Amino acid sequence: MVLLLMLLGGITLHAMRTQLSQNLQTVGDEQHYHKDYWQAHSALEWGRTQRWPKAEGWQCQSWPAEQWQSCLLRTEDNYGLLSGRGEDRALSLWRWVSLETEVPQAAAHGWIDFCPLATPAACMPQNGDTGL
């Protein structure tokens, strides 16, 4: 009987250790996502405070101290698409902005978490585009 209880206890401990390992991986992944999300959000808000000269194509500005990058693509009728992300991070956030002045003004209901452009290649600055 004692051997049976020890066997069941060992099996239970092994199952709990396996479940704990899986949960730790999930928590780690979630922490990375939240860090990426808040870096992208901060970069997007920082980009809204910058002055963006009138130019065609993507323009990017970086803040090395915070490792943020914000990029702006001017579209028609004084509107643009502003993106923000942490440098070397995959997650980007997007916002439609009004460009009546050099400093972008957030468009109402313009916040989105995916690139709205037709092709994924159009969503990122090309290698030839330089940051300001």
Side-chain angles (χ1 to χ4, degrees):
M1 186 67 152
V2 171
L3 261 129
L4 183 61
L5 283 174
M6 287 180 63
L7 180 64
L8 287 174
I11 290 171
T12 303
L13 283 174
H14 178 70
M16 289 179 70
R17 185 181 67 79
T18 303
Q19 186 177 15
L20 179 61
S21 296
Q22 291 171 345
N23 288 344
L24 284 174
Q25 179 66 37
T26 302
V27 168
D29 290 346
E30 192 167 330
Q31 285 177 333
H32 286 288
Y33 169 79
H34 284 288
K35 183 177 180 179
D36 290 354
Y37 174 84
W38 287 111
Q39 277 197 331
H41 188 272
S42 297
L44 188 64
E45 291 303 312
W46 173 76
R48 283 188 38 218
T49 65
Q50 302 305 301
R51 294 195 179 279
W52 298 89
K54 291 187 179 185
E56 292 194 21
W58 283 103
Q59 305 173 57
C60 293
Q61 295 187 41
S62 296
W63 188 1
E66 296 293 338
Q67 297 181 335
W68 294 337
Q69 183 182 40
S70 187
C71 297
L72 176 74
L73 176 66
R74 287 185 183 272
T75 59
E76 54 197 50
D77 299 330
N78 285 329
Y79 282 95
L81 182 63
L82 186 66
S83 74
R85 67 183 181 94
E87 289 182 0
D88 300 324
R89 303 287 181 178
L91 181 68
S92 294
L93 295 178
W94 308 84
R95 179 129 200 167
W96 288 110
V97 292
S98 170
L99 298 169
E100 298 290 329
T101 64
E102 286 185 358
V103 177
Q105 301 298 314
H109 309 290
W111 186 91
I112 44 182
D113 59 357
F114 62 92
C115 179
L117 301 178
T119 62
C123 292
M124 280 294 134
Q126 300 302 313
N127 292 336
D129 293 342
T130 58
L132 299 173

